[in-house]
Amino acid sequence: MSIGKRGFSTLESISSLVIFSSLSSGVLPQFTQLQNMASSSATQGVLGAVRTSLELQRMNMMLRCNSTLETAIHVEQLNSNDITHGKNAPCAQSQIPTREEKRFLTDAIPQNPFNNARKVVACNYNAENPCSAIRTEESAGWCYDSREGRFWANSNTTGECKL
């Protein structure tokens, strides 16, 4: 039997199409799940970095600005990435002279991997249901309660607001 140079037959084309369709129907949900897991891991990383930097700046404020652990850091300082920024700043510019020491993070607050927003908004933390504070009307990536010192994701695709 010799093989002609005519290409694929209709039956072979349909068989290939059916095989690829069935494979892709199993692969796409897996890809979406992996993408959500990666975004959730990235969110955990950002939360850890920002929460750590908040505590480090609290210590900086106590040492240099005569503040206490109860002294609030406000949303304004987080969005500007500067502990001395704004009228409610816990430290004066003269108390923390270098730019690097004023920052929470080396760069700006990172984007929330689920909604690609980096803006921090004031939210009221609810221990039983932190997701109830999500502000969907705003293009905010993160929630922050200055009274409680809590920082969390302003999205809830995979439960990341509870992290």
Side-chain angles (χ1 to χ4, degrees):
M1 181 175 198
S2 67
I3 299 176
K5 296 183 180 184
R6 296 178 41 213
F8 293 108
S9 70
T10 305
L11 183 59
E12 290 171 329
S13 297
I14 291 173
S15 298
S16 296
L17 186 62
V18 168
I19 291 170
F20 287 131
S21 297
S22 64
L23 287 175
S24 66
S25 68
V27 170
L28 286 177
Q30 280 295 98
F31 176 73
T32 304
Q33 184 180 7
L34 288 174
Q35 187 177 19
N36 283 340
M37 288 172 52
S39 295
S40 184
S41 295
T43 302
Q44 287 178 339
V46 171
L47 290 173
V50 172
R51 288 172 179 164
T52 299
S53 68
L54 281 167
E55 294 310 311
L56 290 172
Q57 282 296 26
R58 283 190 202 290
M59 298 305 125
N60 199 12
M61 290 163 37
M62 289 173 59
L63 290 171
R64 295 180 170 192
C65 308
N66 300 320
S67 70
T68 66
L69 283 175
E70 289 78 32
T71 302
I73 296 171
H74 299 281
V75 169
E76 188 176 10
Q77 285 88 47
L78 285 171
N79 281 318
S80 66
N81 197 24
D82 185 342
I83 197 67
T84 64
H85 181 79
K87 66 179 182 178
N88 295 323
C91 294
Q93 301 248 349
S94 60
Q95 292 173 311
I96 303 180
T98 66
R99 184 176 178 188
E100 290 77 26
E101 292 173 324
K102 293 176 185 181
R103 292 180 176 175
F104 292 94
L105 300 169
T106 305
D107 296 319
I109 301 290
Q111 292 180 338
N112 178 328
F114 289 98
N115 63 15
N116 297 321
R118 69 179 58 205
K119 181 180 174 186
V120 180
V121 292
C123 300
N124 293 324
Y125 185 75
N126 177 344
E128 283 91 37
N129 184 12
C131 301
S132 66
I134 289 176
R135 311 261 306 264
T136 56
E137 74 280 357
E138 296 185 39
S139 59
W142 309 101
C143 276
Y144 178 67
D145 186 339
S146 61
R147 297 169 300 126
E148 298 277 329
R150 301 279 187 147
F151 184 85
W152 67 100
N154 188 48
S155 58
N156 195 34
T157 303
T158 63
E160 68 273 9
C161 69
K162 295 180 181 179
L163 299 174

